[in-house]
Amino acid sequence: MDNRGERVAVYPGTFDPMTMGHVSLIKRGCEIFDRVIVAVANDTPKSPLFSITERVAMAEEVFKDTPQVTVEPFSGLLVEYAERRGAHVILRGLRAVSDFEYEFQLALMNRKLKKHIQTVFLMTDYQWLYISSTIIKAAGKLGGDIKGLVPDNVYRKLREKYGYPYPLN
């Protein structure tokens, strides 16, 4: 795909599930880039709660009214996917110093593999510093009220997946 003149960023992740921290970062990415591709990773060392199809569908629903955002599944090396999609930037979020070391290693490896693809880091908004998909799933599994920490459609799907009524009673 040829995107000459268009500033395209790929925001990769498992999005299992997508949180409001992810949503915030993607929206902020839209202020910087012409287009943000939300790349839902199929290849992950994690054991996802939701299938790749479910994760893509939930993200598509969240951004259905945001034409700058495209949601796609991807497999294989991220930098090769970004190159195929005509993106020159990988967008990543940082919550805390603990995220930085891992993200820095990934960025350096990606730079080694494809020198022309840059990694851009955005700090998470302060209100989302404490949440992660892992923490959301742990609280949701035990019936905790995670409303407002994830998009409404994701909240509904988590409640259904864990066998709790929706809306929260």
Side-chain angles (χ1 to χ4, degrees):
M1 176 177 261
D2 187 4
N3 295 315
R4 273 181 259 179
E6 189 178 40
R7 296 169 303 165
V8 180
V10 170
Y11 181 51
T14 53
F15 305 108
D16 185 49
M18 180 167 280
T19 69
M20 293 308 292
H22 294 130
V23 172
S24 171
L25 199 112
I26 293 163
K27 286 182 177 179
R28 290 169 53 219
C30 288
E31 294 173 9
I32 301 167
F33 302 101
D34 298 316
R35 197 158 52 92
V36 175
I37 300 171
V38 176
V40 183
N42 191 37
D43 303 322
T44 175
K46 302 174 185 177
S47 297
L49 175 65
F50 294 101
S51 72
I52 186 75
T53 304
E54 290 172 310
R55 290 180 280 140
V56 167
M58 285 187 286
E60 284 176 334
E61 187 175 338
V62 171
F63 292 102
K64 67 181 181 226
D65 297 324
T66 311
Q68 275 178 272
V69 175
T70 304
V71 179
E72 299 177 343
F74 87 97
S75 294
L77 283 174
L78 174 60
V79 288
E80 290 180 357
Y81 169 78
E83 188 173 59
R84 284 193 308 272
R85 299 301 287 127
H88 291 89
V89 172
I90 295 170
L91 180 62
R92 298 296 293 163
L94 295 173
R95 288 176 302 213
V97 174
S98 57
D99 288 345
F100 180 76
E101 186 174 351
Y102 175 72
E103 291 293 342
F104 185 63
Q105 289 173 335
L106 285 179
L108 289 175
M109 177 54 84
N110 287 336
R111 181 113 172 107
K112 170 74 174 138
L113 295 171
K114 299 284 181 183
K115 212 170 225 11
H116 64 283
I117 296 177
Q118 304 297 320
T119 300
V120 173
F121 296 102
L122 289 179
M123 295 303 300
T124 300
D125 283 333
Y126 69 92
Q127 70 262 42
W128 311 122
L129 278 174
Y130 66 97
I131 66 168
S132 69
S133 294
T134 302
I135 290 171
I136 293 294
K137 286 187 287 191
K141 183 177 185 177
L142 298 174
D145 186 7
I146 53 171
K147 191 163 183 62
L149 301 177
V150 294
D152 287 341
N153 68 311
V154 174
Y155 173 73
R156 182 178 61 253
K157 290 287 189 187
L158 277 164
R159 301 284 299 170
E160 289 170 4
K161 187 70 87 170
Y162 288 127
Y164 292 105
Y166 176 83
L168 182 64
N169 291 330

